Amino acid sequence: AQSVSQHNHHVILSEAASLELGCNYSYGGTVNLFWYVQYPGQHLQLLLKYFSGDPLVKGIKGFEAEFIKSKFSFNLRKPSVQWSDTAEYFCAVNALRYGNKLVFGAGTILRVKS
Amino acid sequence: DVKVTQSSRYLVKRTGEKVFLECVQDMDHENMFWYRQDPGLGLRLIYFSYDVKMKEKGDIPEGYSVSREKKERFSLILESASTNQTSMYLCASSLRTSGGQETQYFGPGTRLLVL
């Protein structure tokens, strides 16, 4: 079965700390990869996506993610977090062999202390 | 900008009631999706639709049905609401592309409480 694992359910950081959120998926073949963010009280927004090409993807608000095919991973990073990054982050994977269905991880709640 | 709207932000219903959740997108997207979001479980796909009058079951379709009579509108129906259907419901849409490089855009969600 398809599955997407996010390693941490809750992360607490101080402002200016570096962030890395893990995401692993369980199937091979061609994949499209996404990170979405949900700020408190707001709707789910696309942070960044990978379809092909350079495995290091830049997104909005200083976020980036690296696709490592050999590790089935797509980790999200930010060098210096801000209080406004407090949100829930979801990794999602679409394996083309399964059509255009997205499979989401359980989410990681990030709290940034000011 | 893609806009996906949902008919209600909050809804309270009683067990056994029939519940309709409406979703409208304004970008002429072929694909539309219904998810439910529960703490610690992420988003789980209930149903999706590739085109008008077409529907496909997702991972958790039991207790739900859908309707897509117009391209821009996708309705989720709870035939007889139960307390375990208390959840946040998210609608999404995407443009069909060759090669499967499709990005889903989400509505604001409907928080449903079934008493």
Side-chain angles (χ1 to χ4, degrees):
Chain A
Q2 309 168 66
S3 71
V4 179
S5 299
Q6 291 184 238
H7 309 305
N8 306 98
H9 290 299
H10 288 89
V11 173
I12 301 173
L13 294 173
S14 297
E15 277 193 309
S18 64
L19 170 72
E20 181 159 3
L21 301 182
C23 174
N24 286 90
Y25 57 93
S26 65
Y27 29 83
T30 302
V31 291
N32 297 320
L33 302 159
F34 304 82
W35 276 97
Y36 284 87
V37 60
Q38 190 171 38
Y39 298 103
Q42 296 189 27
H43 66 276
L44 211 60
Q45 303 172 39
L46 182 68
L47 203 51
L48 49 79
K49 61 187 177 185
Y50 172 82
F51 288 158
S52 62
D54 188 343
L56 186 61
V57 180
K58 304 271 186 204
I60 59 171
K61 304 189 180 188
F63 286 91
E64 65 178 32
E66 185 175 12
F67 170 48
I68 303 179
K69 190 172 182 179
S70 60
K71 294 185 177 180
F72 299 88
S73 71
F74 190 55
N75 292 353
L76 181 71
R77 298 194 293 248
K78 186 170 183 178
S80 176
V81 295
Q82 302 172 306
W83 178 80
S84 58
D85 293 324
T86 294
E88 189 162 15
Y89 294 80
F90 294 93
C91 179
V93 180
N94 161 231
L96 294 193
R97 69 176 71 174
Y98 298 112
N100 62 357
K101 287 171 58 174
L102 268 187
V103 178
F104 282 81
T108 297
I109 297 171
L110 171 66
R111 186 164 80 87
V112 180
K113 299 184 293 184
S114 58
Chain B
D1 267 359
V2 177
K3 193 158 185 196
V4 180
T5 57
Q6 295 182 229
S7 50
S8 307
R9 289 302 301 269
Y10 301 95
L11 214 49
V12 181
K13 296 291 180 181
R14 297 218 173 263
T15 303
E17 280 193 75
K18 191 168 186 176
V19 182
F20 293 87
L21 303 183
E22 302 284 335
C23 175
V24 177
Q25 49 92 7
D26 67 356
M27 286 303 292
D28 205 34
H29 285 174
E30 291 85 4
N31 305 323
M32 295 189 75
F33 307 83
W34 275 107
Y35 296 87
R36 63 178 282 176
Q37 180 182 5
D38 299 288
L41 297 178
L43 278 72
R44 293 177 293 166
L45 183 63
I46 304 171
Y47 266 98
F48 59 106
S49 169
Y50 290 123
D51 206 342
V52 177
K53 297 199 185 291
M54 293 183 68
K55 60 184 179 184
E56 298 275 347
K57 291 181 180 179
D59 299 317
I60 52 163
E62 297 78 19
Y64 304 94
S65 62
V66 290
S67 171
R68 191 152 180 217
E69 297 297 318
K70 293 185 178 182
K71 190 175 185 180
E72 68 271 17
R73 189 178 298 268
F74 191 35
S75 303
L76 180 70
I77 303 151
L78 288 65
E79 295 289 343
S80 176
S82 63
T83 54
N84 62 13
Q85 292 179 310
T86 290
S87 187
M88 171 73 92
Y89 290 89
L90 298 180
C91 176
S93 72
S94 68
L95 187 68
R96 184 186 305 148
T97 62
S98 58
Q101 294 182 350
E102 301 171 356
T103 300
Q104 292 187 23
Y105 297 91
F106 285 82
T110 295
R111 190 168 292 280
L112 172 67
L113 173 62
V114 182
L115 299 174

